[in-house]
Amino acid sequence: MMTIIYIFSGILLVRVIYRAFFTELKTATDYHQRAMNYEIYFQNRSKAIKLLEQAIEKPEFTRTEKGSFDLKIGILYYKMKKLNKAKEHFDKILDFVRKDNFKYMKDISAIVLTYYELGEKDTARKIYHWLRAKEKFDPDFDKLDYLADLGVTCIYFN
């Protein structure tokens, strides 16, 4: 009986690994998922960035999908403490961040923090308020309230 369990577990593990890293990438979601797998399972943010940069070059993706890749690349660079590289990617999507509605994501604060840590406090404040205004679309944006406690919005009172 234990042999059957081991065999089943092995087959399941091979299937999960295959789906996570070897299936053909077709959609934007596929690219995001694969990049997340590289980050989570191997802590390989560089590989995730390279994959998303390849996705940006594909003509079949829309402007919004390419913006989502730039957003994720910026977040990954922020996590790597490469703020200038993060800013390069965030600069490309500022118009999207300001105008479009999208769902809250846990690491979205990286945009505000990148500009703030680079000394661009006015830009950081603007982005913070753009994101907080999205609470009408997705109430989870209120989770960014902690940025006010960190002093990001103190410049609001200058």
Side-chain angles (χ1 to χ4, degrees), residues 57-148:
E57 298 302 316
K58 296 197 170 283
E60 64 264 26
F61 291 122
T62 66
R63 182 183 70 83
T64 301
E65 289 169 327
K66 289 180 181 191
S68 72
F69 298 141
D70 273 315
L71 173 62
K72 184 59 181 173
I73 291 169
I75 290 169
L76 289 167
Y77 275 126
Y78 176 80
K79 289 178 177 181
M80 295 167 72
K81 303 295 183 213
K82 295 182 177 184
L83 299 181
N84 287 315
K85 294 292 282 179
K87 182 183 176 296
E88 282 178 34
H89 289 276
F90 293 147
D91 282 346
K92 295 177 187 178
I93 61 163
L94 286 182
D95 198 47
F96 170 78
V97 170
R98 184 171 54 87
K99 293 180 181 176
D100 293 22
N101 285 326
F102 51 89
K103 292 226 174 257
Y104 173 82
M105 63 179 74
K106 181 180 150 221
D107 297 324
I108 197 75
S109 62
I111 301 171
V112 175
L113 293 169
T114 295
Y115 288 93
Y116 187 77
E117 290 174 24
L118 287 171
E120 297 184 31
K121 295 182 183 198
D122 288 338
T123 304
R125 180 185 48 80
K126 284 181 205 172
I127 296 168
Y128 171 80
H129 289 292
W130 294 342
L131 292 172
R132 287 302 302 267
K134 294 185 184 317
E135 286 180 46
K136 298 172 196 148
F137 173 74
D138 182 348
D140 283 342
F141 277 95
D142 74 344
K143 293 177 182 174
L144 294 174
D145 208 23
Y146 80 94
L147 292 172

Side-chain angles (χ1 to χ4, degrees), residues 5-96:
I5 292 172
Y6 289 138
I7 291 171
F8 180 73
S9 297
I11 291 170
L12 186 61
L13 180 62
V14 167
R15 184 166 187 238
V16 167
I17 291 170
Y18 178 79
R19 291 184 80 200
F21 298 103
F22 298 105
T23 56
E24 183 181 358
L25 300 170
K26 296 178 183 175
T27 68
T29 302
D30 293 342
Y31 279 89
H32 279 292
Q33 186 63 49
R34 178 78 49 89
M36 187 174 74
N37 290 343
Y38 282 124
E39 182 183 11
I40 291 171
Y41 296 119
F42 300 116
Q43 283 79 45
N44 193 339
R45 293 181 178 132
S46 297
K47 181 85 170 175
I49 289 168
K50 185 175 275 189
L51 179 72
L52 294 170
E53 287 174 339
Q54 290 171 355
I56 289 172
E57 298 302 316
K58 296 197 170 283
E60 64 264 26
F61 291 122
T62 66
R63 182 183 70 83
T64 301
E65 289 169 327
K66 289 180 181 191
S68 72
F69 298 141
D70 273 315
L71 173 62
K72 184 59 181 173
I73 291 169
I75 290 169
L76 289 167
Y77 275 126
Y78 176 80
K79 289 178 177 181
M80 295 167 72
K81 303 295 183 213
K82 295 182 177 184
L83 299 181
N84 287 315
K85 294 292 282 179
K87 182 183 176 296
E88 282 178 34
H89 289 276
F90 293 147
D91 282 346
K92 295 177 187 178
I93 61 163
L94 286 182
D95 198 47
F96 170 78

